Amino acid sequence: MSLLQEVDAIEQESIKPLDECQKLIEHGVSTADDLLREGESAVHGDVGQQNEKLCIFTKKALHIQLDSLPEVPSLVDVPCLSAQLDDCLLTILKNQIFRHGTVASRPPVQLEEFVEKPGGILVRWCKVDEDFIPQDYRLQYRKGTASHFEDVYVGSETEFVVLHIDPNVDYQFRVCARRDGRQEWSPWSVPQIGSTTLVPHEWTTGLEGYSLSSRRNIALRNDSQSCGVLYSKAPTYFCGQTLTFRIETVGQPDRRDSLGVCVEQQNGCDSLQRDKAVCISTNGAVFVNGKEMTNQLPAVTSGSTVTFDMEVVHLGPSSNEGGSFKLRVTISSNNREVVFDWVLDQCCGSLYFGCSFSYPGWKVLVF
């Protein structure tokens, strides 16, 4: 029998007298309560029956011992559990602490930066102890200050996008690390607060060819024969932000597949390879207003991340030679990028994003 089992056995045996005391006390309280109700009924009843009820009440009260309580065991009779440790065991513990323990004046890593993302926060951290050689980092967060911290990332990177963040709500973050070849983690960094004011990106619902997650930020191309472009719920992408597509799973590629942004929704199109849109195909080809560029990115694979960054480089009066609104676009994928100017005939404060896949199996997360 283990020590914990011995403790449980002693507890079960010792609590029996106390349980009996509790039952007797509860029974006495219940009896007294019933007697009190009968007394109130006798006092407030009809005058003709009052004497009879008071007589019955008096007899019951004489036979009930309301002032008696069961004997409560004294403290010396109650079992007391204690642990006795030999001096030799304490010496062993001290030696192990001196051997494996460390003292740090500050944590070896600290949080460095928080960057707002739609429905998320990009968290960056850095090493502040030059003598500390980290193998892995561990990032935790919690909503407000009431809940406990939860692991959100463990790995070798020094930044991570935390998703499923409610806008305009404070979250606390902390990070720690462990040395190369060690199992124990370092002390935690000083907790810091991060938040985002940007609402999460969402795919629009109702398109037959795609199944969406509960938060509508993940789209899966299903087995439906229906095809077309799945657009965002609203034009929630703004210049100056980074729009990120992460490929969770892949299906059979097709040259008409597309991931990108557009000025407006055009129902009936089977791809974003059209006017007023820029996109990348699953084979890495880049299209601007429906025309394929000479530069090409690597083909999209499972786990690939495709990002779109845009900034306004020209805003002027309309002319006969072209548009009046020019955006500098950077598309990145698999550590490569293409940069080009996207000329539009109208000013766009915000843009839609979209995707299209000819075959099932493709799953895309947007943030």
Side-chain angles (χ1 to χ4, degrees), residues 285-303:
V286 178
F287 293 83
V288 182
N289 290 334
K291 298 180 180 179
E292 184 175 355
M293 293 184 61
T294 304
N295 295 334
Q296 186 167 331
L297 293 170
V300 174
T301 59
S302 179

PDB file of all heavy atoms in Angstrom, residues 285-303:
ATOM      1  N   ALA A 285       2.996  30.885 -60.157  1.00  0.00           N
ATOM      2  CA  ALA A 285       2.858  31.978 -61.119  1.00  0.00           C
ATOM      3  C   ALA A 285       2.127  33.148 -60.486  1.00  0.00           C
ATOM      4  O   ALA A 285       1.188  32.971 -59.704  1.00  0.00           O
ATOM      5  CB  ALA A 285       2.106  31.487 -62.355  1.00  0.00           C
ATOM      6  N   VAL A 286       2.569  34.384 -60.811  1.00  0.00           N
ATOM      7  CA  VAL A 286       1.980  35.606 -60.263  1.00  0.00           C
ATOM      8  C   VAL A 286       1.220  36.324 -61.371  1.00  0.00           C
ATOM      9  O   VAL A 286       1.741  36.508 -62.490  1.00  0.00           O
ATOM     10  CB  VAL A 286       3.066  36.524 -59.675  1.00  0.00           C
ATOM     11  CG1 VAL A 286       2.450  37.817 -59.154  1.00  0.00           C
ATOM     12  CG2 VAL A 286       3.822  35.802 -58.556  1.00  0.00           C
ATOM     13  N   PHE A 287      -0.010  36.755 -61.056  1.00  0.00           N
ATOM     14  CA  PHE A 287      -0.864  37.426 -62.035  1.00  0.00           C
ATOM     15  C   PHE A 287      -1.245  38.810 -61.528  1.00  0.00           C
ATOM     16  O   PHE A 287      -1.597  38.982 -60.353  1.00  0.00           O
ATOM     17  CB  PHE A 287      -2.132  36.604 -62.300  1.00  0.00           C
ATOM     18  CG  PHE A 287      -1.886  35.297 -62.999  1.00  0.00           C
ATOM     19  CD1 PHE A 287      -1.497  34.166 -62.282  1.00  0.00           C
ATOM     20  CD2 PHE A 287      -2.034  35.204 -64.379  1.00  0.00           C
ATOM     21  CE1 PHE A 287      -1.266  32.966 -62.932  1.00  0.00           C
ATOM     22  CE2 PHE A 287      -1.810  33.990 -65.022  1.00  0.00           C
ATOM     23  CZ  PHE A 287      -1.419  32.870 -64.311  1.00  0.00           C
ATOM     24  N   VAL A 288      -1.181  39.801 -62.428  1.00  0.00           N
ATOM     25  CA  VAL A 288      -1.566  41.176 -62.118  1.00  0.00           C
ATOM     26  C   VAL A 288      -2.593  41.599 -63.150  1.00  0.00           C
ATOM     27  O   VAL A 288      -2.290  41.638 -64.363  1.00  0.00           O
ATOM     28  CB  VAL A 288      -0.349  42.127 -62.153  1.00  0.00           C
ATOM     29  CG1 VAL A 288      -0.778  43.539 -61.772  1.00  0.00           C
ATOM     30  CG2 VAL A 288       0.753  41.625 -61.237  1.00  0.00           C
ATOM     31  N   ASN A 289      -3.798  41.901 -62.695  1.00  0.00           N
ATOM     32  CA  ASN A 289      -4.896  42.274 -63.597  1.00  0.00           C
ATOM     33  C   ASN A 289      -5.084  41.237 -64.710  1.00  0.00           C
ATOM     34  O   ASN A 289      -5.361  41.579 -65.869  1.00  0.00           O
ATOM     35  CB  ASN A 289      -4.661  43.659 -64.198  1.00  0.00           C
ATOM     36  CG  ASN A 289      -4.800  44.763 -63.170  1.00  0.00           C
ATOM     37  OD1 ASN A 289      -5.509  44.615 -62.170  1.00  0.00           O
ATOM     38  ND2 ASN A 289      -4.113  45.876 -63.399  1.00  0.00           N
ATOM     39  N   GLY A 290      -4.920  39.971 -64.367  1.00  0.00           N
ATOM     40  CA  GLY A 290      -5.148  38.888 -65.317  1.00  0.00           C
ATOM     41  C   GLY A 290      -3.958  38.517 -66.170  1.00  0.00           C
ATOM     42  O   GLY A 290      -4.019  37.532 -66.914  1.00  0.00           O
ATOM     43  N   LYS A 291      -2.843  39.270 -66.087  1.00  0.00           N
ATOM     44  CA  LYS A 291      -1.672  38.984 -66.909  1.00  0.00           C
ATOM     45  C   LYS A 291      -0.582  38.331 -66.068  1.00  0.00           C
ATOM     46  O   LYS A 291      -0.276  38.795 -64.964  1.00  0.00           O
ATOM     47  CB  LYS A 291      -1.143  40.275 -67.534  1.00  0.00           C
ATOM     48  CG  LYS A 291      -2.142  40.942 -68.474  1.00  0.00           C
ATOM     49  CD  LYS A 291      -1.572  42.216 -69.070  1.00  0.00           C
ATOM     50  CE  LYS A 291      -2.573  42.884 -70.010  1.00  0.00           C
ATOM     51  NZ  LYS A 291      -2.023  44.151 -70.569  1.00  0.00           N
ATOM     52  N   GLU A 292       0.016  37.269 -66.599  1.00  0.00           N
ATOM     53  CA  GLU A 292       1.056  36.548 -65.863  1.00  0.00           C
ATOM     54  C   GLU A 292       2.377  37.297 -65.930  1.00  0.00           C
ATOM     55  O   GLU A 292       2.794  37.768 -67.010  1.00  0.00           O
ATOM     56  CB  GLU A 292       1.223  35.139 -66.426  1.00  0.00           C
ATOM     57  CG  GLU A 292       2.224  34.298 -65.651  1.00  0.00           C
ATOM     58  CD  GLU A 292       2.293  32.864 -66.143  1.00  0.00           C
ATOM     59  OE1 GLU A 292       1.485  32.504 -67.031  1.00  0.00           O
ATOM     60  OE2 GLU A 292       3.157  32.110 -65.644  1.00  0.00           O
ATOM     61  N   MET A 293       3.032  37.424 -64.787  1.00  0.00           N
ATOM     62  CA  MET A 293       4.326  38.089 -64.713  1.00  0.00           C
ATOM     63  C   MET A 293       5.447  37.136 -65.129  1.00  0.00           C
ATOM     64  O   MET A 293       5.298  35.913 -65.092  1.00  0.00           O
ATOM     65  CB  MET A 293       4.598  38.589 -63.293  1.00  0.00           C
ATOM     66  CG  MET A 293       3.689  39.695 -62.821  1.00  0.00           C
ATOM     67  SD  MET A 293       4.183  40.279 -61.168  1.00  0.00           S
ATOM     68  CE  MET A 293       5.867  40.873 -61.499  1.00  0.00           C
ATOM     69  N   THR A 294       6.565  37.731 -65.498  1.00  0.00           N
ATOM     70  CA  THR A 294       7.738  36.918 -65.839  1.00  0.00           C
ATOM     71  C   THR A 294       8.319  36.264 -64.596  1.00  0.00           C
ATOM     72  O   THR A 294       8.695  35.085 -64.610  1.00  0.00           O
ATOM     73  CB  THR A 294       8.808  37.787 -66.521  1.00  0.00           C
ATOM     74  OG1 THR A 294       8.255  38.422 -67.660  1.00  0.00           O
ATOM     75  CG2 THR A 294      10.007  36.932 -66.923  1.00  0.00           C
ATOM     76  N   ASN A 295       8.406  37.038 -63.504  1.00  0.00           N
ATOM     77  CA  ASN A 295       8.916  36.488 -62.245  1.00  0.00           C
ATOM     78  C   ASN A 295       7.916  35.487 -61.662  1.00  0.00           C
ATOM     79  O   ASN A 295       6.702  35.691 -61.737  1.00  0.00           O
ATOM     80  CB  ASN A 295       9.171  37.607 -61.241  1.00  0.00           C
ATOM     81  CG  ASN A 295      10.280  38.536 -61.700  1.00  0.00           C
ATOM     82  OD1 ASN A 295      11.151  38.124 -62.462  1.00  0.00           O
ATOM     83  ND2 ASN A 295      10.251  39.772 -61.250  1.00  0.00           N
ATOM     84  N   GLN A 296       8.445  34.447 -61.079  1.00  0.00           N
ATOM     85  CA  GLN A 296       7.602  33.404 -60.521  1.00  0.00           C
ATOM     86  C   GLN A 296       8.127  32.985 -59.156  1.00  0.00           C
ATOM     87  O   GLN A 296       9.328  32.993 -58.901  1.00  0.00           O
ATOM     88  CB  GLN A 296       7.557  32.195 -61.462  1.00  0.00           C
ATOM     89  CG  GLN A 296       6.593  31.103 -61.027  1.00  0.00           C
ATOM     90  CD  GLN A 296       6.340  30.090 -62.131  1.00  0.00           C
ATOM     91  OE1 GLN A 296       6.408  30.420 -63.312  1.00  0.00           O
ATOM     92  NE2 GLN A 296       6.046  28.853 -61.747  1.00  0.00           N
ATOM     93  N   LEU A 297       7.211  32.614 -58.264  1.00  0.00           N
ATOM     94  CA  LEU A 297       7.554  32.146 -56.921  1.00  0.00           C
ATOM     95  C   LEU A 297       7.530  30.620 -56.892  1.00  0.00           C
ATOM     96  O   LEU A 297       6.983  29.980 -57.792  1.00  0.00           O
ATOM     97  CB  LEU A 297       6.565  32.718 -55.899  1.00  0.00           C
ATOM     98  CG  LEU A 297       6.630  34.226 -55.686  1.00  0.00           C
ATOM     99  CD1 LEU A 297       5.447  34.697 -54.839  1.00  0.00           C
ATOM    100  CD2 LEU A 297       7.942  34.623 -55.026  1.00  0.00           C
ATOM    101  N   PRO A 298       8.098  29.999 -55.834  1.00  0.00           N
ATOM    102  CA  PRO A 298       8.036  28.540 -55.727  1.00  0.00           C
ATOM    103  C   PRO A 298       6.593  28.041 -55.629  1.00  0.00           C
ATOM    104  O   PRO A 298       5.701  28.765 -55.172  1.00  0.00           O
ATOM    105  CB  PRO A 298       8.818  28.242 -54.443  1.00  0.00           C
ATOM    106  CG  PRO A 298       9.689  29.432 -54.218  1.00  0.00           C
ATOM    107  CD  PRO A 298       8.915  30.600 -54.755  1.00  0.00           C
ATOM    108  N   ALA A 299       6.378  26.817 -56.041  1.00  0.00           N
ATOM    109  CA  ALA A 299       5.041  26.230 -55.960  1.00  0.00           C
ATOM    110  C   ALA A 299       4.597  26.128 -54.503  1.00  0.00           C
ATOM    111  O   ALA A 299       5.404  25.954 -53.588  1.00  0.00           O
ATOM    112  CB  ALA A 299       5.034  24.851 -56.616  1.00  0.00           C
ATOM    113  N   VAL A 300       3.307  26.256 -54.283  1.00  0.00           N
ATOM    114  CA  VAL A 300       2.742  26.204 -52.938  1.00  0.00           C
ATOM    115  C   VAL A 300       2.664  24.747 -52.483  1.00  0.00           C
ATOM    116  O   VAL A 300       2.203  23.874 -53.224  1.00  0.00           O
ATOM    117  CB  VAL A 300       1.345  26.845 -52.920  1.00  0.00           C
ATOM    118  CG1 VAL A 300       0.691  26.673 -51.564  1.00  0.00           C
ATOM    119  CG2 VAL A 300       1.448  28.322 -53.271  1.00  0.00           C
ATOM    120  N   THR A 301       3.108  24.490 -51.251  1.00  0.00           N
ATOM    121  CA  THR A 301       3.074  23.147 -50.680  1.00  0.00           C
ATOM    122  C   THR A 301       2.412  23.197 -49.305  1.00  0.00           C
ATOM    123  O   THR A 301       2.117  24.281 -48.785  1.00  0.00           O
ATOM    124  CB  THR A 301       4.488  22.559 -50.557  1.00  0.00           C
ATOM    125  OG1 THR A 301       5.278  23.427 -49.724  1.00  0.00           O
ATOM    126  CG2 THR A 301       5.145  22.423 -51.923  1.00  0.00           C
ATOM    127  N   SER A 302       2.188  22.040 -48.716  1.00  0.00           N
ATOM    128  CA  SER A 302       1.598  21.989 -47.381  1.00  0.00           C
ATOM    129  C   SER A 302       2.522  22.668 -46.378  1.00  0.00           C
ATOM    130  O   SER A 302       3.715  22.387 -46.317  1.00  0.00           O
ATOM    131  CB  SER A 302       1.372  20.530 -46.969  1.00  0.00           C
ATOM    132  OG  SER A 302       0.812  20.460 -45.673  1.00  0.00           O
ATOM    133  N   GLY A 303       1.963  23.597 -45.601  1.00  0.00           N
ATOM    134  CA  GLY A 303       2.743  24.369 -44.647  1.00  0.00           C
ATOM    135  C   GLY A 303       3.265  25.677 -45.196  1.00  0.00           C
ATOM    136  O   GLY A 303       3.830  26.479 -44.438  1.00  0.00           O
TER     137      GLY A 303
END
